[in-house]
Amino acid sequence: DFEADRASRSEWASSYIKGLDLLGMKIEDRSQPWEGACGVYHPMLTDAVIRFQAQAMSELVPATGPARSKVMGKITNERAEQAVRVVDELNYLTTEVMPDYRDEMEQMLFKLPLAGSAFKKVYFDPLTQLPSADFVPAEDFVVAYGESNLRKCPRYTHVMRRTAQEIVNLQQVGFYSGVDLQEPEREISDIEEKYNEMTGTSVSYDDDPPHTLLEMHVTMELPESYYGSDGIACPYIITIDKSSLTILSIYRNWDENDDKKTKLMHFVH
């Protein structure tokens, strides 16, 4: 299913890779239409991307913090004071407690106009014991191309790269099951390869290649022994090591007190 989802957006990936060539960050050596022809692209697209990023950052993450409030319904002194407290707490959380919040937002706003889509993953980190709002680039978030929104989508996948030590750390805190994984295969996407080519970086995983993990958010039917499944399709989060097809974890993705088993949303498009 994951491979089918990835294949459905191959045309988008191809267009994205061609678009990266137009950023004007690299000079090509050309022999057509003649030897030594100019191979420079005008950096107009890069300029537009940086302007978008700067303007969006000043609007979304101002000096006072990103959180704002709006009182719904009748405004009373008690409600207004509560709204101020909520804003103060959220701004303290995102600017002081979550040190990577601004950096992740800046990265996201650079790639968003290039890719057309970007995602934030909002979750509680089991290692740092802190809330996180990580940027997930579109190339690492695989969903069938025809889906219109994530809430109704039956399957989407976060492609993660984790070193062996990172996986061991998550196993030790009980987040993943303590299974032994075989040596991973080196895997790099066409888009990642293009970014490396643009920036002139060479990534070598010969000594310690990372594991490619598929964190799949799916709605499916599991045997009754799993979280009281009653024969109907329910939302789960299943993480698989791509090389060995070993399952690292299965979690229910609904509140345990919710009889309707409504899917919890961890990604923001």
Side-chain angles (χ1 to χ4, degrees):
D1 289 338
F2 165 76
E3 295 293 354
D5 290 343
R6 187 161 63 174
S8 72
R9 59 181 209 159
S10 58
E11 188 174 336
W12 165 83
S14 178
S15 299
Y16 186 20
I17 291 171
K18 290 178 181 177
L20 293 176
D21 282 327
L22 302 178
L23 289 177
M25 292 185 174
K26 187 178 179 182
I27 299 174
E28 297 179 353
D29 293 325
R30 291 185 181 173
S31 58
Q32 294 293 334
W34 59 79
E35 191 71 33
C38 179
V40 179
Y41 285 99
H42 193 288
M44 181 173 61
L45 181 58
T46 304
D47 181 65
V49 167
I50 293 174
R51 287 176 181 271
F52 168 83
Q53 180 195 39
Q55 292 176 11
M57 277 298 296
S58 64
E59 176 68 25
L60 296 174
V61 191
T64 54
R68 300 174 188 175
S69 66
K70 178 181 179 181
V71 178
M72 306 297 290
K74 184 179 179 181
I75 300 177
T76 63
N77 288 337
E78 184 180 0
R79 280 184 162 190
E81 291 171 359
Q82 182 184 15
V84 172
R85 291 196 302 272
V86 169
V87 168
D88 289 344
E89 175 65 22
L90 285 174
N91 283 329
Y92 169 73
L93 181 71
T94 52
T95 58
E96 300 294 335
V97 180
M98 301 166 63
D100 297 331
Y101 182 88
R102 184 182 180 88
D103 293 340
E104 296 285 337
M105 181 69 83
E106 283 187 329
Q107 288 187 54
M108 184 194 73
L109 291 176
F110 181 81
K111 285 197 172 182
L112 171 60
L114 290 171
S117 285
F119 300 85
K120 292 291 286 289
K121 183 180 184 180
V122 184
Y123 66 102
F124 189 78
D125 192 316
L127 292 178
T128 63
Q129 293 292 297
L130 291 173
S132 294
D134 296 345
F135 161 54
V136 179
E139 58 265 29
D140 290 338
F141 190 84
V142 178
V143 58
Y145 195 73
E147 297 293 341
S148 58
N149 66 78
L150 297 181
R151 189 169 296 279
K152 295 181 179 180
C153 180
R155 179 181 61 256
Y156 43 85
T157 304
H158 179 198
V159 181
M160 304 182 294
R161 291 164 190 84
R162 297 283 184 267
T163 64
Q165 188 57 55
E166 287 175 321
I167 293 176
V168 168
N169 292 344
L170 288 166
Q171 288 175 328
Q172 289 178 342
V173 298
F175 189 75
Y176 289 150
S177 61
V179 294
D180 294 326
L181 298 178
Q182 66 185 36
E183 193 73 14
E185 299 174 2
R186 182 182 181 277
E187 182 175 315
I188 183 170
S189 67
D190 293 341
I191 295 175
E192 186 180 356
E193 193 170 351
K194 174 59 71 173
Y195 268 112
N196 292 340
E197 178 187 325
M198 285 168 45
T199 55
T201 56
S202 175
V203 181
S204 175
Y205 295 135
D206 294 339
D207 297 332
D208 185 22
H211 290 263
T212 299
L213 304 184
L214 306 179
E215 184 183 275
M216 304 191 68
H217 294 239
V218 297
T219 301
M220 62 183 296
E221 181 183 346
L222 290 183
E224 264 188 57
S225 56
Y226 286 94
Y227 305 111
S229 175
D230 50 6
I232 61 172
C234 299
Y236 296 95
I237 302 174
I238 303 176
T239 303
I240 304 168
D241 176 59
K242 190 171 184 292
S243 294
S244 62
L245 298 182
T246 302
I247 294 179
L248 287 168
S249 65
I250 301 176
Y251 285 97
R252 61 172 170 78
N253 193 25
W254 70 88
D255 189 280
E256 60 185 343
N257 298 317
D258 181 10
D259 293 335
K260 295 182 179 179
K261 299 179 179 176
T262 305
K263 177 169 63 176
L264 299 176
M265 301 300 299
H266 303 280
F267 292 91
V268 181
H269 180 200

